[in-house]
Amino acid sequence: MSTINAHQLPKAQESLADYVIRQREALGLSRLALAAQASIHKQSLGKIERGQTQTLNRRTLSSLSLALQVPIDYLEAVTRGQAGTLGPSLKFCPQCWQAGTAPDPIWTDARSQYCFICGTGLQDSCGACGEPLHSLTFRFCPHCGQPYKGAK
Ligand SMILES: [Zn+2]
Ligand SMILES: [Zn+2]
């Protein structure tokens, strides 16, 4: 299993077509090369990339996720038009989180709204500029340079 990079996370509102193209280009693959690696017909892949296919069967999903080296959950989310639900699930408690460490999985659960330890509302974006969090291994917002923790 490859490690997850921020660029693999679907952007909010990103379509399946845009997501597949973006991941394919990040790997430096041509459409033909990706179709071959995922064992799907190049015309089927063409349809996906032109936005003419929105529903993928299980087999296509799993081979495409392997070939693109992205989690199948990400692909499923973009096919359902729920890419935005993945990004904001990166949350932390501004009181309890230790900057630079992985957030507790209980915070990042999509259903969590408040910290299970202290009850503070969880934060899913930079407190200074509002840019959504992309990685909590950063101590500072890459957008505005403010520390995530303590920025109000
Ligand atoms: Zn807390
Ligand atoms: Zn910021």
Side-chain angles (χ1 to χ4, degrees):
M1 190 65 209
S2 56
T3 51
I4 307 302
N5 296 311
H7 80 265
Q8 296 176 321
L9 199 66
K11 299 172 183 167
Q13 316 300 327
E14 192 166 36
S15 68
L16 174 66
D18 290 344
Y19 182 69
V20 168
I21 293 170
R22 190 162 66 84
Q23 297 307 324
R24 173 169 66 71
E25 288 176 348
L27 292 170
L29 292 174
S30 67
R31 186 182 285 178
L32 215 59
L34 177 63
Q37 281 194 21
S39 334
I40 53 179
H41 203 279
K42 70 177 194 300
Q43 276 162 7
S44 309
L45 183 60
K47 276 188 169 177
I48 293 170
E49 293 199 352
R50 285 193 302 273
Q52 293 165 340
T53 301
Q54 266 304 327
T55 45
L56 303 180
N57 64 36
R58 199 71 206 167
R59 194 192 66 81
T60 308
L61 269 178
S62 73
S63 53
L64 205 54
S65 83
L66 276 177
L68 288 172
Q69 300 169 28
V70 297
I72 193 163
D73 298 357
Y74 289 8
L75 268 182
E76 280 192 307
V78 287
T79 59
R80 289 193 307 255
Q82 293 176 340
T85 63
L86 289 169
S89 70
L90 202 57
K91 294 189 293 266
F92 67 98
C93 171
Q95 301 295 329
C96 307
W97 175 60
Q98 300 280 326
T101 63
D104 195 292
I106 300 181
W107 295 334
T108 54
D109 187 291
R111 291 160 298 187
S112 296
Q113 303 282 334
Y114 299 95
C115 175
F116 62 102
I117 303 166
C118 71
T120 301
L122 298 176
Q123 203 174 315
D124 64 2
S125 60
C126 170
C129 72
E131 178 76 5
L133 299 188
H134 293 298
S135 168
L136 279 175
T137 57
F138 298 145
R139 285 160 184 270
F140 301 94
C141 171
H143 194 70
C144 71
Q146 288 295 312
Y148 279 141
K149 197 174 169 175
K152 288 269 154 20

